[in-house]
Amino acid sequence: KQWYQRRVRGIGAVKKQHAARAKLSQKGTDLAELQLKQVSEQMEVFKTQLEEFAIKYKSEIKKTPEFRAHFQMMCSKIGVDPLASSKGFWAQLLGVGDFYYELGVQIVEVCLATRPINGGLITMEELCLRLEKSSGKTRKDIRSDDINRAIAKLAVLGDGFTVVKVGKQQLVQSVPGELSMDHTTALDVAAKHGGQLTVEELERLGWPDLRIRSTLDNLLEQSMVWVDEVNSTYWVPALFK
Amino acid sequence: MDRWSWQSKTTKAAEEKKSHIPSVRLYNGDDKTEFDKGSLEITTHRIIWNDGRRGIELPLKLVVRVDSVEATFTKSAKVVLTLSPPDHARDPGPVQTSKYDFVKLSFLKGGHLDAKALLVSLLSEKRWDKGVVAMKGPSSLMGGGLVHIERQIESSRAETDQSLNAAFRDIDALMDKGKEMVALAERITVKLSEKADSPGGDETLELKSHLLSIGISNPVTRETHGTGTKYHASLGDELARMLRAPLQQCGGVMSVSEVYCRYNRARGVALVSPEDVVNACKTLTPAHHGMELKRFSSGVLVVEGDNFNSVMRTMVDTITKNTCVSALTLSSIMAIPLMLARERLMAGEQHGLLCRDETEEGIFFYKNLFVEEPRG
């Protein structure tokens, strides 16, 4: 009997706690509702301001790289990503998205088209050239900053879009799989010799045979490196001049 | 160094001196040259190096890129100029040929960052292109008209600069308001997350949609609100409709990158971000759309039609007929891209349908006979 009484007391206390918490959370909800209303109102004000801004500057985004650069810099300064959502204000009112997403489409197309040759690695330089060629009308002023931003957004597609630094060059990778330091070092050596990679050069770095072999095999498997069996030389098509 | 010419004393039309930096050494690619401790003059048209005894110049139009390298303990700061191939019609210079296509300017007494910034802005202005035909000189007949044109070009350039500055000011004003918004939204996010009792309330959802509208990259926003919204669901429906036919043609599998391209090309305007395409694909179900998103262990994302199993069977049959295939041969036999051939072989292997044999010539795949019933 005692045990039963103690148990009821326990349940009662818990019930009381629940009731108290519920009351507090109700108050909390009211407060939050008020603040949310405030946010909504402020959003409307901001939206109007953005609409006015867009009337003046919508075309500048596409035309003027300096404008784009300043705009992006200010956005990151205040902590917003204008490319975060196609339904966001920036995309809908200012059309920022259109510029970068279209650039993204073109980058994907160039990378897919050149992949059979270079295995999914292309220099930033070649990418820029091909982009300019493919749609000459509006695309004369693409800066590497624009390309970098577009590629950052493409990463989510799962094809391993990243920018890799090889020596002084920037290469755009469009296949999954991380390029290790050994890979990028070997590519850098190739870059210094017009795209040719020899075992001797890698030996000169002090690499043991096994390391040279495994790096070359790895790159060969990914089709980033081709071998000329007649002359026993290796070539990186992405780095041809 | 073979793009430099001996310094010409005549000033080009509309050329303006922009900067003068002492104590600069020139490098031919990575090699030091004898052009040591001279002063560097940067104009709107060229870079001139002069040490009092001799002077050489480099036209800015040959400069493709400007980079800077910070100073180390033993080396001074440098600016690296990547150059386009030498012009055969150039004026004679100190060096005939060079194996490098870049030069370095070593700033022994500093000033490299300013020089780099200046060069970058001069390269974007390209004043040598906008130059007027005749040289500045006492030609009174032509002088008047040309000077007037020069002035017009100058003033229109100044106008562009001014309007750009005005644009920058407008951007900054807009961002001031944006900053307030961000701060407000973040305060409320904190308050809402403190309310541990109702994590998924309507307010949270509404707030998160506000955050996304303004572009606040909040991982929480993305996870719970980014996926499965009505927007993405309707996008998914649209995608499914668009992809049905092409998917059949591609053997039932298409990379999400390709989906992204096809969809946006079809749209033309109001393009959709890569992220939204991926989120839309996540809403695809075999039951409703006849296709779904699949993720390989490599991270590759594909949309798979419900004919996937039949595709697998076809692949295994093809392999059996050919004894074994590599990714390359499979891609040509089945007429699919190499990437997808590779992924399909991996998928087949993961499903226990295939076995691999790694040789020097590459990786070959065979039908997995280990799972077959032993005969006789």
Side-chain angles (χ1 to χ4, degrees), chain B residues 1-5 27-29 31 33 35 83 85-88 90-103:
Chain B
M1 280 307 291
D2 57 342
R3 278 77 148 175
W4 293 74
S5 313
Y27 280 70
N28 178 21
D31 306 329
T33 65
F35 301 104
L83 306 173
D87 189 4
H88 291 293
R90 71 170 172 95
D91 297 329
V95 174
Q96 285 309 109
T97 54
S98 164
K99 59 178 175 165
Y100 294 102
D101 63 349
F102 64 98
V103 291

Side-chain angles (χ1 to χ4, degrees), chain B residues 201-219:
Chain B
D202 281 332
E203 302 105 29
T204 324
L205 229 55
E206 198 187 325
L207 177 66
K208 283 176 182 167
S209 110
H210 281 315
L211 288 181
L212 213 54
S213 294
I214 200 175
I216 294 180
S217 313
N218 189 318

Side-chain angles (χ1 to χ4, degrees), chain B residues 191 245 279 284 329:
Chain B
K191 289 245 166 66
N279 287 331
L284 297 171
T329 49

